[in-house]
Amino acid sequence: SDSNWPFPISPSHIDWSLFFEQNDHIYCNTIEHPLYFSTIKLPPPSQPVEIADVGCGYGGLLFALSKIMPRTRMLGMEIRNKVTNYVAQKIWASRIETNEFWNIGVLRANAMKQITNYFPKSSLTKLFFCFPDPHFKKSVHRRRIVHRNLLSEYAYVLKSGGKIYAITDVLQLHEWHLDQFKQHPLYKEVPQEEIEADPCVTAMINETEEGKKVERNKGKKYYCVYQRI
Ligand code: SAM
Protein backbone atom coordinates (compact mmCIF):
# COMPACT_ATOMS: atom_id res chain seq x y z
CA SER A 1 0.00 0.00 0.00
CA ASP A 2 2.92 2.34 0.68
CA SER A 3 4.28 2.30 -2.83
CA ASN A 4 1.30 2.12 -5.12
CA TRP A 5 2.64 4.78 -7.34
CA PRO A 6 4.75 4.67 -10.48
CA PHE A 7 8.48 4.25 -10.39
CA PRO A 8 10.97 3.82 -13.23
CA ILE A 9 11.92 0.37 -14.45
CA SER A 10 15.55 1.48 -14.37
CA PRO A 11 17.60 4.64 -13.75
CA SER A 12 17.86 5.04 -17.55
CA HIS A 13 14.11 5.61 -17.73
CA ILE A 14 14.15 8.92 -15.86
CA ASP A 15 14.48 12.35 -17.41
CA TRP A 16 16.59 14.06 -14.76
CA SER A 17 16.14 17.49 -16.35
CA LEU A 18 12.67 17.48 -14.76
CA PHE A 19 14.34 17.89 -11.36
CA PHE A 20 17.32 20.10 -12.07
CA GLU A 21 16.43 22.40 -14.94
CA GLN A 22 13.94 25.21 -15.37
CA ASN A 23 10.48 23.74 -15.96
CA ASP A 24 6.90 24.99 -16.09
CA HIS A 25 5.82 22.49 -13.46
CA ILE A 26 7.01 20.79 -10.32
CA TYR A 27 7.80 17.11 -10.83
CA CYS A 28 8.26 15.03 -7.70
CA ASN A 29 6.21 11.85 -8.21
CA THR A 30 3.38 12.86 -5.89
CA ILE A 31 -0.33 12.74 -6.65
CA GLU A 32 -0.38 16.48 -7.33
CA HIS A 33 2.94 16.63 -9.17
CA PRO A 34 3.35 13.32 -10.99
CA LEU A 35 6.43 12.20 -12.85
CA TYR A 36 6.10 10.43 -16.16
CA PHE A 37 8.77 7.83 -16.66
CA SER A 38 10.15 7.07 -20.06
CA THR A 39 9.26 3.79 -21.72
CA ILE A 40 12.55 3.77 -23.60
CA LYS A 41 16.10 3.99 -22.29
CA LEU A 42 17.39 7.56 -22.24
CA PRO A 43 21.03 8.59 -22.65
CA PRO A 44 22.83 9.08 -19.31
CA PRO A 45 22.49 12.63 -17.90
CA SER A 46 25.50 14.91 -18.38
CA GLN A 47 25.52 15.44 -14.64
CA PRO A 48 24.25 12.47 -12.67
CA VAL A 49 22.93 12.55 -9.10
CA GLU A 50 25.74 11.81 -6.66
CA ILE A 51 24.11 12.19 -3.25
CA ALA A 52 20.85 10.90 -1.79
CA ASP A 53 19.13 11.86 1.45
CA VAL A 54 16.95 8.88 2.26
CA GLY A 55 13.80 9.77 4.21
CA CYS A 56 14.65 13.45 3.74
CA GLY A 57 11.61 14.69 5.67
CA TYR A 58 11.27 18.46 5.29
CA GLY A 59 14.54 18.76 3.37
CA GLY A 60 16.73 20.82 5.73
CA LEU A 61 19.80 18.71 4.99
CA LEU A 62 19.41 19.08 1.21
CA PHE A 63 19.40 22.87 1.49
CA ALA A 64 22.46 22.82 3.75
CA LEU A 65 24.38 20.40 1.49
CA SER A 66 23.47 22.52 -1.54
CA LYS A 67 25.37 25.41 0.05
CA ILE A 68 28.39 23.18 0.77
CA MET A 69 28.46 21.53 -2.68
CA PRO A 70 26.52 23.80 -5.05
CA ARG A 71 27.58 21.91 -8.16
CA THR A 72 26.84 18.39 -6.98
CA ARG A 73 23.42 17.02 -7.84
CA MET A 74 21.55 15.57 -4.90
CA LEU A 75 18.15 14.04 -4.38
CA GLY A 76 15.89 13.63 -1.37
CA MET A 77 13.74 10.49 -1.25
CA GLU A 78 10.64 10.74 0.91
CA ILE A 79 7.78 8.31 1.23
CA ARG A 80 5.09 10.76 2.40
CA ASN A 81 3.16 12.50 -0.37
CA LYS A 82 2.45 15.73 1.52
CA VAL A 83 5.98 16.09 2.85
CA THR A 84 7.45 15.50 -0.63
CA ASN A 85 5.19 18.25 -2.03
CA TYR A 86 6.29 20.59 0.75
CA VAL A 87 9.99 20.07 -0.07
CA ALA A 88 9.44 20.37 -3.84
CA GLN A 89 7.55 23.64 -3.34
CA LYS A 90 10.24 24.93 -1.01
CA ILE A 91 12.93 24.18 -3.62
CA TRP A 92 10.83 25.87 -6.32
CA ALA A 93 10.27 29.00 -4.19
CA SER A 94 13.92 29.16 -3.09
CA ARG A 95 15.11 29.01 -6.70
CA ILE A 96 12.83 31.92 -7.62
CA GLU A 97 14.01 33.93 -4.64
CA THR A 98 17.75 33.26 -4.85
CA ASN A 99 18.45 31.58 -8.20
CA GLU A 100 20.31 28.97 -6.15
CA PHE A 101 19.44 25.37 -5.26
CA TRP A 102 19.38 24.14 -8.86
CA ASN A 103 21.34 21.09 -7.75
CA ILE A 104 18.73 19.69 -5.33
CA GLY A 105 15.57 17.76 -6.05
CA VAL A 106 13.09 15.59 -4.21
CA LEU A 107 10.83 12.73 -5.12
CA ARG A 108 8.30 10.48 -3.51
CA ALA A 109 9.78 7.02 -3.33
CA ASN A 110 9.97 4.06 -1.04
CA ALA A 111 13.74 3.92 -0.80
CA MET A 112 13.65 0.50 0.83
CA LYS A 113 12.09 -0.95 -2.31
CA GLN A 114 13.04 1.36 -5.13
CA ILE A 115 16.54 2.75 -4.60
CA THR A 116 18.09 0.63 -7.38
CA ASN A 117 15.36 1.80 -9.78
CA TYR A 118 16.61 5.35 -9.37
CA PHE A 119 20.37 5.10 -9.09
CA PRO A 120 22.73 3.13 -11.33
CA LYS A 121 25.40 0.81 -9.98
CA SER A 122 28.37 2.67 -8.44
CA SER A 123 26.87 6.12 -9.00
CA LEU A 124 26.56 7.70 -5.54
CA THR A 125 29.30 9.21 -3.41
CA LYS A 126 27.14 9.76 -0.30
CA LEU A 127 23.95 8.35 1.17
CA PHE A 128 22.36 9.94 4.24
CA PHE A 129 20.03 8.32 6.77
CA CYS A 130 19.08 11.03 9.23
CA PHE A 131 16.94 10.19 12.22
CA PRO A 132 15.29 7.16 10.59
CA ASP A 133 12.20 5.67 12.21
CA PRO A 134 13.44 3.50 15.10
CA HIS A 135 10.89 0.63 14.85
CA PHE A 136 11.51 -0.28 18.46
CA LYS A 137 9.83 -3.67 18.73
CA LYS A 138 12.03 -6.65 17.92
CA SER A 139 9.34 -8.06 15.62
CA VAL A 140 9.63 -4.98 13.36
CA HIS A 141 13.42 -4.57 13.34
CA ARG A 142 13.37 -5.92 9.78
CA ARG A 143 11.60 -2.70 8.76
CA ARG A 144 14.58 -0.60 9.81
CA ILE A 145 15.96 1.28 6.82
CA VAL A 146 19.57 0.64 7.85
CA HIS A 147 19.52 -3.14 7.78
CA ARG A 148 22.22 -5.58 6.64
CA ASN A 149 20.05 -6.83 3.73
CA LEU A 150 19.48 -3.30 2.48
CA LEU A 151 23.14 -2.41 3.03
CA SER A 152 23.84 -4.70 0.05
CA GLU A 153 21.48 -2.62 -2.11
CA TYR A 154 23.09 0.57 -0.89
CA ALA A 155 26.53 -0.90 -1.63
CA TYR A 156 25.35 -1.55 -5.18
CA VAL A 157 24.45 2.11 -5.84
CA LEU A 158 27.49 3.53 -3.99
CA LYS A 159 30.81 4.16 -5.71
CA SER A 160 33.74 2.40 -4.13
CA GLY A 161 34.97 4.82 -1.46
CA GLY A 162 31.44 6.28 -1.22
CA LYS A 163 30.06 6.89 2.26
CA ILE A 164 26.92 6.18 4.26
CA TYR A 165 26.08 8.66 7.01
CA ALA A 166 23.64 7.64 9.74
CA ILE A 167 22.45 9.69 12.69
CA THR A 168 19.84 9.05 15.37
CA ASP A 169 18.87 10.20 18.85
CA VAL A 170 18.07 6.63 19.89
CA LEU A 171 21.14 4.93 21.39
CA GLN A 172 19.68 1.48 20.83
CA LEU A 173 19.20 2.25 17.12
CA HIS A 174 22.72 3.66 16.82
CA GLU A 175 24.08 0.42 18.26
CA TRP A 176 21.98 -1.47 15.72
CA HIS A 177 23.48 0.66 12.93
CA LEU A 178 27.04 -0.09 14.09
CA ASP A 179 26.21 -3.74 14.31
CA GLN A 180 24.70 -3.88 10.80
CA PHE A 181 27.74 -2.18 9.25
CA LYS A 182 30.19 -4.35 11.18
CA GLN A 183 28.43 -7.50 9.99
CA HIS A 184 28.58 -6.40 6.37
CA PRO A 185 31.68 -7.31 4.34
CA LEU A 186 31.43 -4.29 1.99
CA TYR A 187 31.84 -1.49 4.54
CA LYS A 188 34.62 -0.17 6.73
CA GLU A 189 34.48 2.40 9.51
CA VAL A 190 35.59 5.93 8.66
CA PRO A 191 38.25 7.15 11.14
CA GLN A 192 36.96 9.55 13.81
CA GLU A 193 39.28 12.43 12.74
CA GLU A 194 37.93 12.21 9.20
CA ILE A 195 34.34 12.21 10.50
CA GLU A 196 34.92 15.25 12.71
CA ALA A 197 36.52 17.21 9.83
CA ASP A 198 33.69 16.48 7.37
CA PRO A 199 31.35 19.47 6.81
CA CYS A 200 28.59 17.05 5.76
CA VAL A 201 28.68 15.59 9.28
CA THR A 202 28.23 19.05 10.79
CA ALA A 203 25.29 19.64 8.43
CA MET A 204 23.76 16.28 9.32
CA ILE A 205 24.03 17.05 13.05
CA ASN A 206 22.70 20.60 12.87
CA GLU A 207 20.56 21.15 9.79
CA THR A 208 17.89 18.47 9.63
CA GLU A 209 14.51 19.34 11.10
CA GLU A 210 14.64 16.29 13.34
CA GLY A 211 18.15 17.19 14.49
CA LYS A 212 16.96 20.67 15.43
CA LYS A 213 14.07 19.18 17.38
CA VAL A 214 16.46 16.92 19.31
CA GLU A 215 18.62 19.99 20.02
CA ARG A 216 15.65 21.96 21.38
CA ASN A 217 14.77 19.05 23.66
CA LYS A 218 18.42 18.80 24.73
CA GLY A 219 18.60 15.21 23.49
CA LYS A 220 21.76 13.37 22.42
CA LYS A 221 22.72 12.59 18.84
CA TYR A 222 24.65 9.48 17.86
CA TYR A 223 26.18 9.13 14.43
CA CYS A 224 28.50 7.03 12.32
CA VAL A 225 29.99 7.11 8.85
CA TYR A 226 30.90 3.97 6.93
CA GLN A 227 32.74 3.67 3.68
CA ARG A 228 32.00 1.37 0.77
CA ILE A 229 35.03 -0.85 0.23
N1 SAM B 1 15.66 12.96 7.75
C1 SAM B 1 14.66 13.90 8.21
C2 SAM B 1 15.20 14.71 9.37
O1 SAM B 1 16.21 14.29 9.94
O2 SAM B 1 14.61 15.74 9.70
C3 SAM B 1 13.36 13.21 8.57
C4 SAM B 1 13.41 12.19 9.67
S1 SAM B 1 11.85 11.40 9.96
C5 SAM B 1 11.93 10.86 11.59
C6 SAM B 1 11.99 9.93 8.99
C7 SAM B 1 11.53 10.16 7.57
O3 SAM B 1 11.74 9.01 6.76
C8 SAM B 1 10.05 10.46 7.49
O4 SAM B 1 9.86 11.68 6.79
C9 SAM B 1 9.47 9.26 6.73
O5 SAM B 1 8.32 9.59 5.97
C10 SAM B 1 10.64 8.85 5.88
N2 SAM B 1 10.64 7.45 5.44
C11 SAM B 1 10.35 6.36 6.20
N3 SAM B 1 10.47 5.23 5.47
C12 SAM B 1 10.86 5.61 4.22
C13 SAM B 1 11.13 4.91 3.02
N4 SAM B 1 11.04 3.58 2.96
N5 SAM B 1 11.49 5.62 1.92
C14 SAM B 1 11.57 6.97 1.96
N6 SAM B 1 11.32 7.68 3.08
C15 SAM B 1 10.96 7.02 4.19
Side-chain angles (χ1 to χ4, degrees), residues 138-187:
K138 195 155 191 214
S139 60
V140 291
H141 281 179
R142 67 195 151 72
R143 289 197 209 142
R144 288 178 168 171
I145 202 157
V146 176
H147 185 290
R148 54 192 172 277
N149 298 343
L150 290 169
L151 287 183
S152 299
E153 309 243 327
Y154 307 150
Y156 175 85
V157 295
L158 276 172
K159 283 191 162 92
S160 101
K163 290 174 182 169
I164 295 192
Y165 297 70
I167 185 166
T168 174
D169 57 333
V170 179
L171 178 58
Q172 190 196 336
L173 182 63
H174 174 63
E175 285 166 352
W176 165 276
H177 288 167
L178 298 179
D179 201 43
Q180 302 302 302
F181 282 112
K182 279 181 190 144
Q183 282 183 45
H184 203 289
L186 291 178
Y187 295 91

Side-chain angles (χ1 to χ4, degrees), residues 3 47 63 72 109 121 123 135 200:
S3 44
Q47 209 196 333
F63 282 86
T72 305
K121 185 173 189 287
S123 61
H135 297 294
C200 297

Side-chain angles (χ1 to χ4, degrees), residues 55-57 78-80 109-112 130-131 133 208-210:
C56 67
E78 172 51 53
I79 204 166
R80 287 181 288 168
N110 181 343
M112 291 174 79
C130 299
F131 302 94
D133 300 324
T208 77
E209 283 72 14
E210 206 59 38

Side-chain angles (χ1 to χ4, degrees), residues 12-121:
S12 309
H13 293 77
I14 307 161
D15 175 0
W16 290 103
S17 71
L18 299 177
F19 294 95
F20 301 109
E21 287 169 23
Q22 189 128 33
N23 286 297
D24 294 339
H25 299 284
I26 290 177
Y27 296 96
C28 61
N29 210 25
T30 57
I31 296 163
E32 298 77 6
H33 304 292
L35 261 174
Y36 301 98
F37 298 106
S38 175
T39 51
I40 52 158
K41 270 191 162 188
L42 301 171
S46 55
Q47 209 196 333
V49 172
E50 284 184 47
I51 298 178
D53 181 8
V54 178
C56 67
Y58 293 94
L61 181 68
L62 286 171
F63 282 86
L65 293 178
S66 177
K67 290 275 186 193
I68 300 172
M69 293 166 282
R71 275 181 285 279
T72 305
R73 284 189 172 174
M74 33 190 113
L75 193 72
M77 301 182 106
E78 172 51 53
I79 204 166
R80 287 181 288 168
N81 190 81
K82 239 172 134 168
V83 177
T84 309
N85 278 336
Y86 171 88
V87 179
Q89 282 156 6
K90 195 163 120 184
I91 294 172
W92 180 276
S94 306
R95 285 174 178 175
I96 292 173
E97 203 181 305
T98 64
N99 200 26
E100 292 176 55
F101 307 110
W102 289 97
N103 65 326
I104 58 174
V106 67
L107 69 87
R108 179 169 61 140
N110 181 343
M112 291 174 79
K113 292 185 182 168
Q114 301 161 352
I115 197 155
T116 54
N117 294 77
Y118 284 99
F119 304 117
K121 185 173 189 287

